[in-house]
């Protein structure tokens, strides 16, 4: 077993016995807490003060970088990013930076100042348990603003985990069932009409699930709502998405993503072509035009397993309700006004629904707690940790999380 005095670097390699050397080393000037309003305490300070700080002696043999970080903190002025300690957690930097961008947009408009304040203090600290398997998130602070990119991401992870569990249960109970992926659209409304359009789409969906053509073949479904800025028509499928210069800041593109669990008989006696699905959606939508509908069987691609294909469909269905790029737009005043109106129009609307054998598969948005956003279920396979915590705080001027051992527990 390695000697406790042996130094471990962030890749887990033993690089010497000098505990006064730490790699990689950069000069760190910790920024002031982003929250400048003295009425509020930073969330990580509030959390820290609510705990009793412990200072354990070197009683645990140092076998990995995490033990080393906890027992022998870096020298003062040493910068150690989370992304260099745990590769799987490097995604936090990008997600938190997006929250920073969207929160700043809210800060320009007095009507949404409270959202700005909440998002400024969102996920400013991450407290991790640790063991030989790596880091495991144990505590963090979340604002739970609907359009906060960090909170959207964490909700999405939770729902995906819920859905994977439901899939395993359904697979055992209905081994011959099949899965379809359905996309339903409507003509792009002006952004000021989005709320009424979404209500209209929800009523149309309620009519759809009551149609015999639907309920006679569908045993269960998960439906999510996504809203994007209208995009410019692509010349090639591989072209990147570009916001429409004419309607991108005046209209919205709401649509449903749906996973359908259908009976085995669907592909024989109950089959409906894409044209039939389009006609059915048009009928329940009660419009005088043919809306775009896409229906496809979920099948494994080359090199994929069936389970991989299902999980990819789950990821597509349960992604962001509004992508961060659509929230930010081109950064213009008109783009910001579009986002403000989106916020007003979607206030307290539900964007996730389910039915049939999948009715209880997902936790309702209103019922999701801070603990749920911490424990999204993706780390369940990892072994347990003790009560010690490694803490990383967000450095706004650097757009990344840095190790902050003075808040360790």
């Amino acid at each position: 077993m390695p000697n406790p005095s042996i130094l471990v670097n962030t890749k887990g390699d033993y690089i010497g016995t000098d505990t006064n050397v730490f790699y990689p080393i950069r000069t760190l000037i910790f920024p002031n807490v982003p929250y400048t309003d003295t009425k509020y305490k930073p969330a990580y300070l509030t959390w820290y003060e609510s705990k009793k700080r412990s200072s354990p002696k070197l009683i645990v043999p140092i076998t990995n970088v995490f033990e080393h970080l906890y027992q022998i903190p870096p020298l003062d002025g040493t910068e150690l990013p989370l992304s260099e300690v745990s590769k799987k957690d490097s995604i936090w930097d990008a997600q938190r930076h997006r929250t920073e961008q969207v929160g700043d947009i809210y800060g320009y408009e007095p009507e949404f100042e409270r959202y700005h304040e909440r998002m400024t203090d969102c996920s400013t600290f991450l407290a991790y348990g640790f063991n030989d398997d790596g880091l495991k998130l144990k505590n963090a602070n979340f604002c739970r603003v609907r359009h906060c990119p960090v909170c959207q991401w964490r909700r999405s992870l939770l729902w995906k985990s819920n859905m994977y569990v439901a899939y395993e249960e359904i697979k055992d109970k209905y081994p011959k069932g099949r899965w379809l992926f359905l996309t339903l659209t409507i003509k792009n409304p002006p952004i000021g009409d989005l709320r009424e359009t979404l209500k209209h789409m929800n009523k149309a969906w309620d009519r759809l699930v009551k149609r015999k053509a639907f309920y006679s073949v569908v045993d269960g479904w998960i439906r999510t709502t996504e809203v994007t800025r209208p995009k410019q028509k692509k010349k090639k499928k591989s072209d990147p998405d570009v916001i429409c210069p004419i309607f991108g800041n005046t209209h919205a593109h709401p649509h449903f993503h749906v996973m359908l669990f259908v009976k085995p008989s669907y592909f024989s006696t109950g089959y409906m072509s894409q044209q039939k699905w389009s006609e059915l959606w048009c009928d329940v939508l009660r419009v005088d035009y043919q809306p775009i509908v896409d229906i496809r069987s979920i099948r494994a691609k080359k090199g994929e397993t069936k389970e991989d294909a299902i999980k990819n469909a789950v990821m597509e269905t349960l992604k962001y309700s509004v992508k961060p790029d659509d929230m930010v737009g081109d950064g213009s005043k008109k783009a910001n006004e579009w986002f403000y109106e989106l916020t007003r129009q979607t206030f307290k609307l539900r964007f996730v629904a389910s039915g049939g054998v999948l009715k209880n598969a997902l936790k309702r948005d209103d019922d999701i707690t801070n603990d749920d956003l911490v424990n999204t279920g993706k780390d369940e396979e990892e072994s347990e940790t003790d009560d010690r915590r490694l803490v990383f705080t967000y450095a706004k001027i650097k757009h990344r999380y840095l190790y902050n051992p003075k808040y360790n527990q």
Side-chain angles (χ1 to χ4, degrees):
M1 185 167 288
N3 187 301
S5 66
I6 292 178
L7 181 63
V8 184
N9 71 2
T10 57
K11 295 182 180 178
D13 304 320
Y14 294 102
I15 58 177
T17 57
D18 185 357
T19 57
N20 292 320
V21 180
F22 210 88
Y23 295 88
I25 294 180
R26 296 188 182 94
T27 302
L28 169 64
I29 301 175
F30 277 24
N32 292 329
V33 177
Y35 237 156
T36 57
D37 191 332
T38 56
K39 291 188 299 182
Y40 300 99
K41 275 188 179 179
Y44 61 82
L45 181 58
T46 301
W47 171 80
Y48 176 75
E49 290 177 348
S50 70
K51 305 288 183 180
K52 181 179 180 182
R53 189 176 184 186
S54 59
S55 301
K57 296 179 181 179
L58 294 176
I59 56 175
V60 180
I62 297 179
T63 60
N64 57 55
V65 65
F66 313 112
E67 285 288 350
H68 184 277
L69 285 175
Y70 190 82
Q71 298 189 36
I72 310 175
L75 295 175
D76 290 343
T78 300
E79 177 183 301
L80 190 59
L82 173 62
S83 58
E84 294 186 20
V85 176
S86 176
K87 186 176 181 180
K88 71 180 178 65
D89 290 292
S90 61
I91 188 175
W92 277 100
D93 291 340
Q95 296 289 2
R96 184 59 184 79
H97 183 44
R98 292 188 185 107
T99 287
E100 183 182 320
Q101 292 176 307
V102 176
D104 284 347
I105 294 174
Y106 276 138
Y108 302 147
E109 174 55 55
E111 178 185 351
F112 300 109
E113 178 62 26
R114 183 54 183 154
Y115 285 170
H116 165 70
E117 292 174 350
R118 287 167 60 184
M119 291 174 69
T120 297
D121 205 29
C122 180
S123 55
T124 51
F125 79 94
L126 307 174
Y128 286 93
F130 58 95
N131 53 36
D132 288 341
D133 294 328
L135 297 179
K136 185 173 182 179
L137 187 65
K138 289 294 187 178
N139 207 308
N141 57 308
F142 298 105
C143 67
R144 295 169 64 192
V145 172
R146 177 195 281 276
H147 297 303
C148 168
V150 164
C151 293
Q152 276 201 146
W153 166 55
R154 299 303 292 182
R155 280 194 298 269
S156 178
L157 289 178
L158 176 66
W159 282 330
K160 288 171 187 175
S161 178
N162 292 163
M163 188 60 190
Y164 295 155
V165 172
Y167 165 67
E168 292 298 329
E169 294 174 352
I170 286 175
K171 183 176 65 174
D172 294 337
K173 194 171 182 179
Y174 307 95
K176 294 183 179 180
R178 300 284 295 275
W179 293 88
L180 305 177
F181 185 70
L182 174 66
T183 302
L184 301 171
T185 71
I186 192 171
K187 187 181 292 185
N188 293 345
I191 185 65
D193 295 338
L194 178 60
R195 191 176 192 85
E196 288 305 313
T197 301
L198 290 173
K199 289 181 177 180
H200 181 68
M201 292 176 70
N202 287 330
K203 289 178 181 178
W205 176 263
D206 291 340
R207 289 191 286 267
L208 176 64
V209 299
K210 294 173 183 176
R211 291 293 181 92
K212 185 176 181 181
F214 184 95
Y215 70 72
S216 63
V217 294
V218 177
D219 282 335
W221 51 270
I222 295 286
R223 192 206 76 210
T224 61
T225 304
E226 182 178 16
V227 180
T228 62
R229 294 178 192 258
K231 302 299 190 293
Q232 198 165 267
K233 189 173 182 180
K234 296 182 181 181
K235 293 181 179 179
K236 296 186 297 183
K237 191 175 181 180
S238 58
D239 289 345
D241 287 336
V242 177
I243 293 174
C244 176
I246 300 175
F247 298 108
N249 292 327
T250 61
H251 286 61
H253 176 54
H255 50 284
F256 289 155
H257 291 297
V258 192
M259 278 189 72
L260 301 174
F261 183 64
V262 298
K263 302 177 186 296
S265 59
Y266 174 80
F267 290 95
S268 54
T269 59
Y271 179 76
M272 286 196 297
S273 65
Q274 181 159 305
Q275 179 61 30
K276 289 291 185 183
W277 276 103
S278 184
E279 291 173 359
L280 183 57
W281 179 237
C282 177
D283 190 26
V284 296
L285 203 55
R286 297 176 180 173
V287 293
D288 57 1
Y289 60 89
Q290 198 72 34
I292 297 174
V293 171
D294 183 74
I295 182 75
R296 62 189 65 187
S297 176
I298 299 175
R299 296 175 181 172
K301 298 177 182 178
K302 187 176 181 180
E304 275 188 338
T305 64
K306 180 181 177 182
E307 283 71 20
D308 289 337
I310 297 296
K311 288 185 176 182
N312 287 337
V314 169
M315 291 175 67
E316 177 66 17
T317 306
L318 298 173
K319 61 185 180 181
Y320 290 157
S321 58
V322 182
K323 296 183 181 72
D325 286 347
D326 282 308
M327 297 181 198
V328 175
D330 59 13
S332 66
K333 184 178 180 179
K334 286 185 177 180
N336 290 350
E337 289 296 338
W338 183 94
F339 180 52
Y340 299 147
E341 189 59 29
L342 170 80
T343 302
R344 299 182 191 104
Q345 293 287 319
T346 59
F347 182 66
K348 289 193 177 296
L349 291 183
R350 289 187 61 198
F351 272 37
V352 176
S354 57
V357 296
L358 292 168
K359 184 173 180 58
N360 298 315
L362 304 181
K363 194 164 189 177
R364 285 173 56 99
D365 196 0
D366 293 345
D367 296 332
I368 293 175
T369 65
N370 195 83
D371 286 344
D372 290 324
L373 297 181
V374 171
N375 303 305
T376 60
K378 68 184 184 70
D379 292 329
E380 286 182 352
E381 70 279 3
E382 294 181 6
S383 55
E384 283 302 308
T385 65
D386 57 28
D387 292 333
R388 297 176 298 167
R389 300 288 179 262
L390 291 170
V391 176
F392 294 79
T393 55
Y394 185 67
K396 184 173 182 178
I397 62 174
K398 295 177 179 291
H399 307 308
R400 60 182 174 182
Y401 287 89
L402 301 171
Y403 183 44
N404 206 336
K406 68 180 179 180
Y407 294 111
N408 285 356
Q409 295 292 326

